[in-house]
Amino acid sequence: LRKKFFHPCVHLQLMESPVASRSDAVPAQGSSMGESWPISVDCVIRGGELRDQSLVARRIGNLEFITVASPAYLARRGTPTHPLEIEEKHTSLLYFSPHSGRHYPLEFRRGDESTDITGPYQLSVNESNAYVASVVAGLGIGQITSWQAQRHLKSGALVQLLPDWTKPRLPIYVVYPPNRHLSAKVRVFVDWTADLFQREAHLQRPA
């Protein structure tokens, strides 16, 4: 894909289209959905801070992100020793919002230091599997969850970069509306989900 398609002046966006129907779709991360909660949905699992305070949310874990690239990419472009080198000498892979089109930067925190990188980039996506596949394919440097990275790090398909720099962890919630009757089966599901996440040490690291 990189050799056949990419040109320095081309920016490609791959996206999973949001469902348009208000009655069937759960709004995207960070949006308000109290009044438009789908009738057929009992609860949802969501990542990110919740803006709609009318909803009931149970925090079940935190997603940890690490910075990675493929060995092939690093062989071509070198290995950065500081986040600013990514902006100056490398290609980033970014997520973007399908609703606003806003690109989410690569985030780096170390003590009191803070750096956000928004480019240069040639590819941005809004779907995690496509994002991971793009990093593994050697299209740039990205930030993925530690559990997504595990098998690729073990196989050598990816290399972790800048381990001293971290990205803020993303909270994970089970969410349901306050006026929705919490049936026994939903309560069992919520408890089961929380227990399942509790078993994964990398999902329970402090935010």
Side-chain angles (χ1 to χ4, degrees):
L1 178 63
R2 180 185 62 83
K3 293 181 179 179
K4 293 183 178 180
F5 182 85
F6 281 122
H7 182 278
C9 296
V10 174
H11 289 179
L12 178 67
Q13 287 189 340
L14 300 178
M15 66 180 292
E16 179 182 36
S17 298
V19 180
S21 173
R22 176 172 174 173
S23 61
D24 296 329
V26 175
Q29 177 182 318
S31 64
S32 175
M33 59 182 177
E35 296 181 358
S36 60
W37 187 278
I39 296 175
S40 60
V41 175
D42 293 302
C43 63
V44 298
I45 298 175
R46 297 188 58 175
E49 294 297 343
L50 302 174
R51 298 179 184 176
D52 192 335
Q53 300 302 312
S54 69
L55 300 174
V56 179
R58 178 174 174 179
R59 192 166 185 161
I60 58 176
N62 299 298
L63 287 177
E64 177 186 48
F65 290 82
I66 62 174
T67 305
V68 291
S70 72
Y73 173 86
L74 297 175
R76 296 195 313 270
R77 305 290 295 272
T79 302
T81 59
H82 190 280
L84 290 179
E85 291 183 22
I86 298 176
E87 190 170 50
E88 296 168 355
K89 303 177 182 179
H90 290 269
T91 299
S92 302
L93 296 174
L94 302 180
Y95 278 107
F96 73 94
S97 166
H99 299 277
S100 67
R102 172 179 174 265
H103 286 86
Y104 299 105
L106 303 183
E107 299 178 60
F108 297 91
R109 307 290 183 268
R110 186 176 66 179
D112 295 332
E113 298 179 83
S114 176
T115 301
D116 290 349
I117 305 298
T118 56
Y121 74 93
Q122 286 187 311
L123 177 68
S124 61
V125 303
N126 78 328
E127 199 280 322
S128 62
N129 291 320
Y131 188 87
V132 174
S134 300
V135 182
V136 172
L139 301 182
I141 294 174
Q143 291 181 325
I144 64 178
T145 63
S146 56
W147 67 268
Q148 287 175 308
Q150 284 179 350
R151 68 186 182 93
H152 297 296
L153 294 172
K154 187 175 181 179
S155 69
L158 290 177
V159 176
Q160 183 176 1
L161 306 175
L162 306 171
D164 293 339
W165 293 83
T166 61
K167 175 178 177 173
R169 292 184 175 92
L170 190 74
I172 311 168
Y173 298 92
V174 177
V175 183
Y176 53 91
N179 59 345
R180 181 67 54 85
H181 173 65
L182 193 61
S183 66
K185 66 178 182 179
V186 175
R187 186 177 293 107
V188 169
F189 172 79
V190 171
D191 290 341
W192 172 80
T193 302
D195 179 67
L196 195 64
F197 274 69
Q198 190 68 37
R199 299 177 197 174
E200 301 293 333
H202 65 277
L203 294 175
Q204 298 304 317
R205 290 166 184 160

